[in-house]
Amino acid sequence: MEFSGEKTHWNFVDEERKYINLPRRFSFGNNEADSDFTSARTSCVSAASFPLWPISPETPWTRSPVRASSSPPLLYHCLASLHRSEGNIFSIAVTNDFVFTGSASSRIHAWKQPDCTEMGYIKATSGEIRAILAYGKMLFTTHGDYKIRVWDVSLTENFRPKKTITLPRRRSFFSYGKKNNQQHRDSISCIAYNHKEKLLYTGSWDKTVKVWKISEKRCVDSFVAHEGHVNAIVLNQEDGCVFTCSSDGTVKIWRRVFRESSHILTMTLKFQPSPVNTLALYLSPGECILYSGTSDGLINFWEKERMSSRYNHGGFLQGHHFAVLCLATIKDLILSGSEDATIRIWRREAGNPFHSCLAVIDGHHGPVKCLAAALETEEIMMGLLVYSASLDQTFKVWRVKVYPSEKETLEKSEANDQNSKTTDCKMSPVLSPSWVEKKIQGSDF
């Protein structure tokens, strides 16, 4: 491994067409959002920017109800656009201090939040980095040799990460020639981490999911999860539920057997025969919603029942014209990146299935492969930093400002009015003139 803290020369571009030879075959419209704050274009299903694909009459699914807002709900601005011809970026991970990107160049770049200055990189010699995950001071990376590496990135001033674990561990001389059942047989495409149990989950194109005990540095469970490539894994940190999706068109829900390492299948969510590329989980008090992005351009979602813990299909979001490749959730927002080179930002209303598409960002010139988001502020407007990478070999940073929904604004206004009335009553009491006169004269009632 080679560690480097030197600044590499990325091209900060205002007009990517000067540097990218790819045609805009996936971009619809000529509006650019790389300068100045831009008002979001309304793109709800009921008032879409583009014509929507007709829905098959045989489909069992229902489109999610939507509501359009008369005022601009969101502003966005491209802070940085970085391009370098060293291979596509496949994965993004965000911590409080850094943003990490993994690419086909075998390099793991580290960028400082929020100005996105490059702090350095890790040069690996084991192939492309398909998936990365950051938790606390640990960075998990998957490599072309079908192995996982864990890095200590606690040193924030001088970027000098330390490799602490390689999974599976190198076999001893006495085990040479024996079959290694702990290692994946194909590219590791996705990764997830159970914070409480300290378990690392990896999904692979070899159709299996493996579970690693970090403290013991070994694989504690391995099972064939799907009939096709495993494309994504997400975890419910509250109950330990594991969700996987695959090119076979299914989403599966797994549970760990109590006090054991094995996992059992509890539910299969199967719908139209389209590959499922990505998953995201929305968690709030009393709510758990699973989102999946498919190659037909739809985002399906399932809501968890409180009593039975089953997941019922709630509908789908339609807007993308090609495959949905990546999803991310933050607060009540769902971010989706697609093969049509756009990023859509959706908002879900609390307590009901209504979704609104707040913005369509079309700054990329190729399929949007990965997304990540970090919260900047929650004051009057919610501020986000959104990181996106595309197969046009660009990495972009967006600053997003989201206005509160009409319902939230009304609730805050009513609360402020109530507080104002209470304060006025306390600060300015109305006294009876006769009571004041009697009080001055010392009379008793």
Side-chain angles (χ1 to χ4, degrees):
M1 298 292 175
E2 175 189 346
F3 302 94
S4 176
E6 298 179 359
K7 301 290 187 298
T8 58
H9 298 287
W10 287 75
N11 297 323
F12 286 80
V13 294
D14 295 324
E15 298 178 3
E16 285 87 347
R17 295 180 186 177
K18 295 179 181 178
Y19 300 91
I20 303 172
N21 296 323
L22 293 175
R24 281 186 73 112
R25 65 185 68 180
F26 294 112
S27 183
F28 300 89
N30 297 319
N31 294 330
E32 294 290 340
D34 288 353
S35 62
D36 301 328
F37 278 99
T38 306
S39 178
R41 289 162 291 170
T42 304
S43 54
C44 301
V45 175
S46 58
S49 302
F50 316 115
L52 300 174
W53 304 132
I55 299 175
S56 171
E58 292 83 12
T59 178
W61 309 125
T62 57
R63 183 183 298 158
S64 170
V66 296
R67 289 179 180 173
S69 176
S70 57
S71 60
L74 182 148
L75 300 172
Y76 62 87
H77 173 63
C78 185
L79 291 181
S81 182
L82 307 108
H83 174 260
R84 184 173 180 175
S85 300
E86 65 169 14
N88 294 320
I89 297 174
F90 294 125
S91 50
I92 300 175
V94 179
T95 66
N96 293 332
D97 301 307
F98 296 116
V99 179
F100 298 96
T101 58
S103 70
S105 68
S106 304
R107 290 184 176 183
I108 306 161
H109 286 273
W111 315 88
K112 185 70 175 176
Q113 283 211 76
D115 53 357
C116 207
T117 56
E118 188 176 8
M119 300 298 296
Y121 62 86
I122 305 171
K123 174 63 177 176
T125 58
S126 47
E128 60 189 19
I129 295 95
R130 282 269 169 188
I132 59 177
L133 174 69
Y135 176 71
K137 300 301 181 182
M138 293 187 296
L139 178 68
F140 304 94
T141 60
T142 67
H143 298 260
D145 58 359
Y146 313 150
K147 291 186 177 182
I148 307 102
R149 289 165 177 83
V150 185
W151 309 85
D152 180 358
V153 291
S154 58
L155 294 177
T156 58
E157 294 182 1
N158 297 320
F159 182 68
R160 300 292 296 176
K162 178 182 178 183
K163 185 178 69 174
T164 58
I165 304 172
T166 299
L167 300 172
R169 291 182 293 178
R170 183 178 297 178
R171 294 188 295 171
S172 66
F173 175 79
F174 299 101
S175 62
Y176 182 78
K178 294 182 180 180
K179 188 176 180 180
N180 187 359
N181 294 323
Q182 290 195 346
Q183 186 164 342
H184 282 291
R185 300 299 175 185
D186 207 336
S187 297
I188 302 173
S189 56
C190 49
I191 193 168
Y193 186 61
N194 186 318
H195 305 163
K196 295 180 181 179
E197 302 293 334
K198 304 295 187 294
L199 294 174
L200 184 69
Y201 291 80
T202 55
S204 170
W205 288 354
D206 64 9
K207 307 177 184 179
T208 67
V209 170
K210 294 185 183 293
V211 189
W212 309 83
K213 189 73 173 178
I214 296 300
S215 59
E216 300 175 7
K217 302 180 182 180
R218 66 184 182 92
C219 179
V220 295
D221 193 18
S222 178
F223 54 92
V224 177
H226 290 273
E227 297 177 0
H229 295 168
V230 180
N231 292 327
I233 296 180
V234 293
L235 275 166
N236 185 339
Q237 300 292 342
E238 295 179 356
D239 59 12
C241 203
V242 183
F243 306 87
T244 61
C245 71
S246 169
S247 301
D248 63 11
T250 63
V251 176
K252 294 186 177 182
I253 306 175
W254 308 82
R255 284 193 179 275
R256 185 172 170 226
V257 180
F258 183 63
R259 292 185 178 177
E260 294 185 23
S261 297
S262 58
H263 291 71
I264 59 173
L265 177 65
T266 61
M267 194 173 180
T268 299
L269 309 175
K270 191 170 184 178
F271 43 100
Q272 293 166 321
S274 182
V276 188
N277 305 311
T278 180
L279 296 173
L281 202 64
Y282 167 80
L283 290 173
S284 68
E287 272 191 306
C288 179
I289 304 170
L290 176 69
Y291 292 88
S292 70
T294 55
S295 291
D296 56 10
L298 301 181
I299 303 170
N300 286 270
F301 65 94
W302 288 265
E303 299 173 303
K304 181 182 178 181
E305 286 186 356
R306 294 185 181 182
M307 299 299 293
S308 65
S309 295
R310 290 182 58 84
Y311 285 80
N312 297 323
H313 191 270
F316 63 87
L317 311 180
Q318 186 182 23
H320 286 294
H321 290 254
F322 297 112
V324 178
L325 302 180
C326 51
L327 291 172
T329 58
I330 183 168
K331 294 296 182 177
D332 59 348
L333 302 178
I334 302 96
L335 289 75
S336 57
S338 170
E339 190 182 3
D340 63 16
T342 66
I343 301 167
R344 285 180 176 255
I345 302 180
W346 314 78
R347 177 160 58 193
R348 173 184 172 84
E349 292 187 15
N352 60 58
F354 290 102
H355 288 76
S356 298
C357 185
L358 305 184
V360 182
I361 303 174
D362 62 353
H364 283 289
H365 298 264
V368 180
K369 178 61 179 173
C370 47
L371 282 172
L375 190 66
E376 263 196 315
T377 178
E378 285 188 275
E379 296 177 354
I380 299 175
M381 291 193 300
M382 181 167 59
L384 306 175
L385 286 174
V386 177
Y387 305 92
S388 62
S390 168
L391 298 186
D392 62 6
Q393 299 184 357
T394 60
F395 172 57
K396 290 179 180 285
V397 186
W398 310 86
R399 174 162 280 141
V400 177
K401 299 290 185 181
V402 184
Y403 288 97
S405 64
E406 294 177 3
K407 182 179 178 181
E408 291 175 341
T409 304
L410 182 61
E411 290 176 351
K412 290 180 180 179
S413 177
E414 291 177 351
N416 291 336
D417 290 344
Q418 188 65 31
N419 292 335
S420 177
K421 291 177 182 178
T422 304
T423 303
D424 290 344
C425 185
K426 291 181 178 179
M427 297 298 295
S428 303
V430 179
L431 303 179
S432 169
S434 60
W435 183 89
V436 174
E437 184 178 355
K438 291 180 180 180
K439 191 68 176 176
I440 294 175
Q441 295 175 356
S443 301
D444 297 326
F445 289 95

